[in-house]
Amino acid sequence: MTHIAVVTVPFIKADLHRALAEQCLDSIQSQHTVERIAIVNSIRSDEDARWLGEHFDLVEHNDVNILARAWNRGIRIALDRGAELAIVANLDILFHPLCLDNLLECSRQEPEAVIWSPVPWRDRATFGHAQLLPESVPGITWSCFAVNRKLFETVGMFDEGYTPAYLEDSDMAYRMKLVGARGISCRAALFFDHERGTIKGLFDCAPQDVQRSAKMLADLRANITANDERYIKKWGGLGGSECFTIPYDGPPSE
Amino acid sequence: MAYTIPQSDDSSLIDQEFDLLDWRIRIGHLDKVREICAQILTSEARDLGRTSWARILCGTIELLRLNYEDALRNFEASNAPPAPLRPRAKAGAAKSLTMLGHIDQAGELLQALVSEWPNSWYTWEASGLWHRKKGDDEAAWRSLLKASALNPGNPSTISTLIAMGLVPNRYHELVVALESHLAIEPLNLGFRGCLVNCFLHTGELDKACDQARRIVLFAPFSVVPAELVSTMHGLLSQVESS
């Protein structure tokens, strides 16, 4: 039986975060062995830690709250433990019952790609009636994507300089483009995305946490701006307008 | 090796392209979606399934643009869409007829909707509009509450409920609908502002303050906090003067 892994990065600061995560984990189905790996970025309490222990096969804590670092670590662990495919997923999605198996099949049918994504479905009400199509199209959806060793070998790891999150995905997509690596979306694999689950959770926090959540959100906004600036310095422009082919336009001249 | 594709009755399955275009309507890409649907409808190699859902999308766009004749024409032309979309097509036709003033015809269609799809929010939203047009606000209110309970995330039902609900005997029911919606879409600041308003009217000041704090702290630069502050001033001064 094939071994695959679902790698997630829990960030639990509100009940909604945990509720969405629980729904996500409940939706995992496969005829293969699925290992659930959590690289924890942040949780509230021992109770959250206990919950993670019950819902994941392996729980590790990230040393700093950086999404790219958690992804790199989770992917490495999954592949080192023998997974054929590491499926990196946000915890605010729902997997279609055939999502994981068809994504694995896609990675086997299209081995020249380095990332395989399922396709997002937008309407929760009709998700159960979605038509699956045995085909793939170019493109990656970063809220859920699958990789094997080839991504790190041919393109490298996610850049951990984007803190705590945002633009690590665009950075990877641009580097893939530079080396001619392909990402594809599998139309036989679908997921539903609640979208912006982290921010929604912060808005929906307990009354005593409002001040702290608002501070977190303000910091996040500031970090997003800083990440934009870093991306522009690194690649000469934002997504779609990059003009450097070497980070920072090459090493500084003496 | 092959993909696993469930063998199912095609009439119950919804096309991925439909889902994407429907979402694009929700985020306001009306012209683009209409252009794509026009291509589907005029294509030489027309596919009955695709033209059927393209009609529903066109009808939805025309309803949003208040072009009720065109909306009706499109909804009526959507022959045999996938089963989950059928109540939507019928309800769209009923709404168009209602807005065109064909109350009796719309009523017949609604009767069929209620008997065939009593658990569809489309049925009850169309019913709410119909009752409202007839001047029966109480029946409209009940229908819209049903629609909201069946699909709490739908903003259009909530908007109508807000328009009708800011009167004394409806605040508590409006609170339930708003809280259900915000549990799914916590980022909707406008609706959160209405919730503050409701709590002020029901005298639940702690809850009003909690919601108001969220708006002011989470979105200090949006227009909602400013509106909220002026509403709260107005209401509090009414309380003081009484």
Side-chain angles (χ1 to χ4, degrees):
Chain A
M1 185 169 280
T2 305
H3 168 193
I4 56 178
V6 173
V7 174
T8 69
V9 185
F11 177 89
I12 300 176
K13 289 292 178 190
D15 289 346
L16 183 62
H17 291 150
R18 221 167 93 171
L20 292 176
E22 190 143 3
Q23 288 176 28
C24 172
L25 296 168
D26 285 348
S27 70
I28 291 176
Q29 287 187 42
S30 176
Q31 57 173 314
H32 305 290
T33 302
V34 181
E35 186 170 39
R36 298 159 180 227
I37 297 174
I39 308 296
V40 182
N41 258 357
S42 191
I43 52 174
R44 297 167 297 184
S45 61
D46 290 347
E47 162 54 21
D48 284 339
R50 188 195 57 75
W51 181 85
L52 287 171
E54 282 174 2
H55 287 78
F56 286 89
D57 301 302
L58 180 75
V59 178
E60 293 214 356
H61 289 263
N62 203 4
D63 52 354
V64 280
N65 178 14
I66 296 175
L67 182 66
R69 195 170 178 83
W71 279 356
N72 287 335
R73 189 167 165 187
I75 291 167
R76 262 197 325 262
I77 290 172
L79 300 177
D80 287 349
R81 286 165 70 93
E84 177 175 333
L85 203 63
I87 296 147
V88 181
N90 287 359
L91 278 167
D92 60 352
I93 70 163
L94 299 175
F95 295 99
H96 185 279
L98 292 165
C99 179
L100 299 184
D101 291 353
N102 280 340
L103 202 53
L104 177 67
E105 179 57 26
C106 182
S107 73
R108 289 172 174 174
Q109 286 196 14
E110 313 237 15
E112 74 287 357
V114 297
I115 294 189
W116 303 268
S117 280
V119 170
W121 189 263
R122 320 276 176 169
D123 183 1
R124 173 80 187 268
T126 57
F127 186 43
H129 298 281
Q131 186 168 22
L132 308 184
L133 300 170
E135 61 188 36
S136 58
V137 290
I140 303 167
T141 307
W142 293 102
S143 36
C144 184
F145 61 93
V147 302
N148 59 17
R149 290 196 183 278
K150 224 170 118 187
L151 178 73
F152 287 177
E153 287 167 2
T154 57
V155 191
M157 296 198 294
F158 288 92
D159 182 339
E160 297 177 8
Y162 297 102
T163 59
Y166 182 63
L167 290 183
E168 64 288 300
D169 47 5
S170 303
D171 185 282
M172 176 59 82
Y174 184 61
R175 283 159 51 211
M176 283 170 61
K177 186 177 161 191
L178 290 176
V179 300
R182 280 203 321 135
I184 56 174
S185 291
C186 170
R187 298 185 73 187
L190 300 179
F191 70 101
F192 171 76
D193 192 349
H194 283 97
E195 289 177 1
R196 297 188 288 173
T198 303
I199 294 180
K200 284 178 178 174
L202 291 178
F203 266 67
D204 200 45
C205 63
Q208 66 272 17
D209 293 334
V210 170
Q211 194 93 37
R212 198 172 50 193
S213 292
K215 165 90 171 55
M216 232 180 271
L217 201 63
D219 290 348
L220 192 62
R221 285 191 183 117
N223 282 319
I224 284 173
T225 307
N227 284 350
D228 277 341
E229 287 165 3
R230 181 173 187 271
Y231 193 91
I232 292 168
K233 271 188 197 159
K234 185 174 177 185
W235 296 116
L238 278 174
S241 312
E242 296 94 340
C243 48
F244 302 157
T245 53
I246 301 172
Y248 306 102
D249 207 16
S253 51
E254 290 300 321
Chain B
M1 298 290 272
Y3 291 116
T4 308
I5 306 290
Q7 294 304 310
S8 162
D9 173 10
D10 272 349
S11 69
S12 73
L13 296 177
I14 297 177
D15 194 291
Q16 291 179 24
E17 190 182 5
F18 172 86
D19 177 64
L20 179 62
L21 293 175
D22 197 27
W23 171 73
R24 290 187 68 176
I25 290 176
R26 291 201 291 277
I27 61 167
H29 296 181
L30 303 189
D31 288 338
K32 188 64 197 169
V33 175
R34 190 153 65 173
E35 188 188 316
I36 293 167
C37 288
Q39 284 168 6
I40 292 170
L41 293 170
T42 54
S43 157
E44 281 183 15
R46 282 198 292 173
D47 165 325
L48 186 61
R50 289 181 90 217
T51 54
S52 178
W53 60 246
R55 288 285 182 198
I56 292 178
L57 293 176
C58 287
T60 305
I61 291 169
E62 298 307 340
L63 261 188
L64 288 168
R65 294 211 156 133
L66 316 183
N67 299 328
Y68 302 117
E69 295 274 7
D70 288 340
L72 180 62
R73 188 171 49 75
N74 276 293
F75 284 124
E76 286 185 336
S78 68
N79 289 317
L85 299 182
R86 281 174 207 159
R88 177 167 165 176
K90 284 263 190 292
K95 278 180 168 179
S96 309
L97 284 166
T98 302
M99 295 311 292
L100 289 166
H102 304 311
I103 297 295
D104 292 342
Q105 262 180 284
E108 284 169 25
L109 209 47
L110 279 166
Q111 271 187 345
L113 268 162
V114 171
S115 87
E116 222 172 324
W117 294 288
N119 294 320
S120 165
W121 71 272
Y122 289 109
T123 296
W124 296 106
E125 197 186 49
S127 166
L129 181 70
W130 184 73
H131 283 300
R132 222 178 155 201
K133 197 77 177 169
K134 282 178 65 185
D136 186 348
D137 269 8
E138 192 49 39
W141 178 254
R142 295 288 143 218
S143 293
L144 290 166
L145 283 178
K146 259 189 198 174
S148 169
L150 288 164
N151 183 9
N154 175 37
S156 76
T157 311
I158 302 284
S159 297
T160 317
L161 282 170
I162 289 169
M164 299 180 71
L166 292 175
V167 291
N169 63 336
R170 289 183 180 154
Y171 290 127
H172 288 287
E173 288 172 321
L174 188 53
V175 164
V176 172
L178 282 167
E179 286 186 327
S180 304
H181 179 83
L182 289 168
I184 296 167
E185 292 297 338
L187 308 185
N188 194 323
L189 295 178
F191 289 175
R192 206 175 278 281
C194 287
L195 188 57
V196 175
N197 204 338
C198 287
F199 283 139
L200 288 172
H201 280 100
T202 58
E204 295 167 277
L205 296 184
D206 285 352
K207 289 183 179 177
C209 285
D210 172 48
Q211 294 300 332
R213 270 179 78 223
R214 284 168 203 264
I215 296 170
V216 174
L217 288 172
F218 286 131
F221 306 116
S222 99
V223 69
V224 177
E227 283 176 354
L228 190 64
V229 168
S230 83
T231 308
M232 287 178 84
H233 270 299
L235 288 166
L236 290 173
S237 59
Q238 279 175 28
V239 172
E240 278 172 15
S241 63
S242 64

